[in-house]
Amino acid sequence: MGLIDNKDERPVNYNFKQDKRIYKIVQAPSIKGNLRRLNKASAAKSIKSDKMTPVKSRPTLKISCILTSYNRPIKVQQAIASVQKQTYPHWELIIVDDNSNAQTQNILKEIVEKDPRIKLIQSGVAQEDRSKTTRYATCINLALPVVSGELVTYLTDDDIYYKTRFEKMAEVFHQNPHIHVVYGKQKVVVFTNNRITRAFIRPLVGVTRFPMGKVDHNSFMHRKSCLNIVKNWDDHPSLWKAGDAAFFRKLVKHWDFHPLNIVTDEHRIHDKGVQRKLQRGAKPWNSEDAE
């Protein structure tokens, strides 16, 4: 299962064990090292032959990223930029804005006009209807019918991806047709009064069918074909705290979650985020307290 390492384009392999399989990049023997075993004449022949042999195929699977947005005109720009900076070129970004304020909507329109890889969907939800569903799940469901990629992943408007996330995940899917769901490590950064008070890495849990509460939905990716079976996200209003866990329960009925041993994204816990609002009993859809 050869991959191409970015630095010197030598093949690398995914190694994993049955019970605690964690995909990590391991350098394979170099071409030069292999040639030492050959005599001078055959080595020369191999070098010439290598030049004529096409490089092993790299993944071209298209990734559809769904980003949910609501009243975060500054942070959403950082989230979008983290997608645009990906080292992997085959992607589309579908932003679903949940009827944000004018400032946020205007910023999103400007970004979309400049980048043809980005689409914008407006939910048009009325303020009185916000409490009727788990809004981020509802917004995701609005995007699912228009995804055009073979792989699907998710992002919120106050978090960011690290730049090799798409590349490394696409490599796993490309080399392993039997794998349907992949997740990576997540860096969690905790802010209090706009200052970082804690940071840690959310650990991997191996190949698992119990990702609920252990994997964040910013950290995973699945094949689009999974949607033929699981259909969509459950957006019942009781799921504000665990909308991703509800979707994971659908997925694990059919597929394992496979770990990738790199940090793929950064989750930011801050005073105006959904988690803190729920902890203090505030309404997470409060439009006056989003950023």
Side-chain angles (χ1 to χ4, degrees):
M1 295 183 286
L3 300 177
I4 299 298
D5 181 71
N6 290 333
K7 294 182 180 179
D8 58 8
E9 295 191 342
R10 290 188 290 166
V12 295
N13 295 324
Y14 283 125
N15 287 351
F16 57 90
K17 295 182 179 180
Q18 181 65 30
D19 294 327
K20 285 289 183 180
R21 290 174 288 176
I22 299 177
Y23 294 89
K24 63 181 180 178
I25 308 301
V26 179
Q27 189 67 56
S30 67
I31 294 174
K32 184 181 293 184
N34 289 333
L35 291 178
R36 292 195 187 102
R37 301 186 185 94
L38 304 175
N39 61 41
K40 187 174 182 180
S42 61
K45 183 178 180 181
S46 295
I47 293 170
K48 183 178 180 180
S49 178
D50 287 342
K51 290 180 180 179
M52 298 177 65
T53 303
V55 176
K56 195 166 185 179
S57 66
R58 298 189 183 190
T60 58
L61 296 166
K62 184 177 180 180
I63 296 171
S64 294
C65 176
I66 299 174
L67 189 159
T68 51
S69 163
Y70 182 52
N71 283 2
R72 291 196 174 105
I74 298 174
K75 290 184 173 65
V76 74
Q77 293 181 71
Q78 297 170 355
I80 294 169
S82 76
V83 176
Q84 293 173 313
K85 292 176 182 177
Q86 290 295 303
T87 57
Y88 186 74
H90 309 294
W91 57 265
E92 67 174 354
L93 175 61
I94 305 170
I95 304 171
V96 186
D97 183 68
D98 207 22
N99 203 10
S100 291
N101 54 39
Q103 182 185 5
T104 303
Q105 291 197 35
N106 289 336
I107 287 172
L108 293 176
K109 288 177 183 177
E110 290 178 7
I111 292 173
V112 171
E113 288 174 358
K114 296 176 181 177
D115 194 332
R117 300 169 297 179
I118 304 177
K119 302 174 184 177
L120 176 62
I121 297 174
Q122 284 290 349
S123 73
V125 64
Q127 186 64 25
E128 60 268 21
D129 292 330
R130 291 190 183 279
S131 62
K132 295 179 181 178
T133 66
T134 295
R135 293 307 306 168
Y136 62 88
T138 301
C139 289
I140 288 171
N141 288 338
L142 290 175
L144 292 179
V146 301
V147 298
S148 62
E150 294 96 336
L151 305 172
V152 183
T153 196
Y154 308 89
L155 182 61
T156 55
D157 58 356
D158 50 355
D159 294 332
I160 61 170
Y161 288 154
Y162 289 165
K163 65 180 182 179
T164 61
R165 183 185 189 274
F166 287 1
E167 177 185 353
K168 299 306 181 185
M169 288 187 163
E171 287 174 349
V172 175
F173 286 110
H174 177 67
Q175 297 294 333
N176 300 275
H178 65 286
I179 288 178
H180 284 74
V181 186
V182 171
Y183 73 99
K185 291 180 180 177
Q186 181 180 73
K187 182 176 181 179
V188 180
V189 181
V190 181
F191 291 83
T192 303
N193 297 325
N194 294 320
R195 297 182 63 182
I196 296 176
T197 54
R198 186 186 177 201
F200 61 93
I201 302 297
R202 188 192 295 264
L204 300 174
V205 290
V207 177
T208 184
R209 293 221 177 182
F210 300 95
M212 291 71 72
K214 301 172 184 176
V215 178
D216 185 75
H217 84 262
N218 288 322
S219 305
F220 90 112
M221 184 181 292
H222 63 81
R223 294 189 187 272
K224 181 183 177 181
S225 58
C226 296
L227 298 173
N228 295 332
I229 297 175
V230 302
K231 304 302 181 186
N232 56 20
W233 287 54
D234 188 346
D235 63 355
H236 189 276
S238 65
L239 295 173
W240 267 103
K241 292 182 179 181
D244 53 1
F247 186 62
F248 291 171
R249 289 189 184 94
K250 289 184 174 184
L251 291 170
V252 297
K253 290 180 181 178
H254 309 279
W255 307 284
D256 291 329
F257 275 53
H258 290 260
L260 176 61
N261 193 23
I262 63 168
V263 178
T264 56
D265 60 281
E266 185 174 299
H267 176 49
R268 297 165 173 178
I269 299 175
H270 55 94
D271 294 335
K272 296 183 179 181
V274 170
Q275 286 173 271
R276 287 275 178 83
K277 288 181 182 179
L278 290 169
Q279 288 173 358
R280 61 178 181 261
K283 297 176 181 179
W285 55 87
N286 186 346
S287 62
E288 298 176 358
D289 191 27
E291 185 169 76

